[in-house]
Amino acid sequence: MQRLVVRNSQMQIPTMAKLCAALWLAFTGFFAAQEILPNLPDGVEGAGVLPVIAASFGLLIGWRVVGLYPGRRWHEALNDGLRGAVYMMLWSYGFLGVAQMLKLASRMRYRDIGEATIDIVGQAAIVAQASMSLSVAAVLIVGAAFAGLSSEWAHRRFGR
């Protein structure tokens, strides 16, 4: 006779808290990327799809990071939202760094793979520097706060 093994699979169960966090962080990523686009240097590979990429990362990170542990205090939910926004932007910068590195590698700019790999960080830093503005920070902070707080609200309103 087979035994039934039950394990804690909280990360795999869809909840309203995860859905609210994911949607709010996706909106935050989309609108923050819209604010970043005018500040990007010319010729950055992948800049045209940055809002979609940031929204995709926001959706994923909102589900996996922000909405993961609801049912705590409000300020902890706020911290989760801000942490999710930081992760979302880091992943978006990394994506654009890799895209720019591949563009430059196709033009034979690098001597070896080590130089190309190290330049990913440099290209991501160029994009991050271009996104340092008050409007981007305001969109990220407000959107991340709403993501964390809406996740907590949905958990309290709809339960698990």
Side-chain angles (χ1 to χ4, degrees):
M1 175 177 265
Q2 286 185 323
R3 293 175 47 189
L4 179 64
V5 178
V6 179
R7 61 186 168 99
N8 185 6
S9 60
Q10 184 178 3
M11 289 177 45
Q12 299 170 356
I13 298 172
T15 62
M16 284 299 290
K18 290 180 182 182
L19 180 65
C20 286
L23 291 177
W24 269 106
L25 210 57
F27 290 142
T28 300
F30 183 81
F31 290 117
Q34 291 290 339
E35 293 291 323
I36 292 171
L37 282 179
N39 301 332
L40 286 177
D42 293 334
V44 173
E45 186 70 25
V49 295
L50 179 61
V52 175
I53 296 302
S56 301
F57 283 134
L59 195 68
L60 177 69
I61 290 172
W63 187 275
R64 301 285 296 193
V65 174
V66 179
L68 188 59
Y69 298 113
R72 299 185 295 172
R73 297 183 188 133
W74 290 101
H75 73 277
E76 291 173 345
L78 187 66
N79 287 339
D80 286 343
L82 293 173
R83 186 182 62 205
V86 169
Y87 289 169
M88 175 189 61
M89 292 311 294
L90 288 176
W91 276 97
S92 298
Y93 295 153
F95 174 82
L96 286 179
V98 168
Q100 188 68 16
M101 183 274 301
L102 290 173
K103 176 183 173 184
L104 295 173
S106 68
R107 295 181 181 170
M108 300 295 191
R109 180 171 176 244
Y110 305 113
R111 288 179 293 205
D112 58 355
I113 193 166
E115 184 181 355
T117 305
I118 291 172
D119 195 45
I120 291 173
V121 176
Q123 296 298 328
I126 291 170
V127 174
Q129 182 182 8
S131 68
M132 296 297 166
S133 70
L134 189 59
S135 63
V136 175
V139 168
L140 283 174
I141 290 171
V142 170
F146 276 121
L149 295 176
S150 70
S151 171
E152 186 61 33
W153 173 82
H155 176 74
R156 291 180 184 202
R157 170 72 172 87
F158 299 107
R160 297 177 192 219

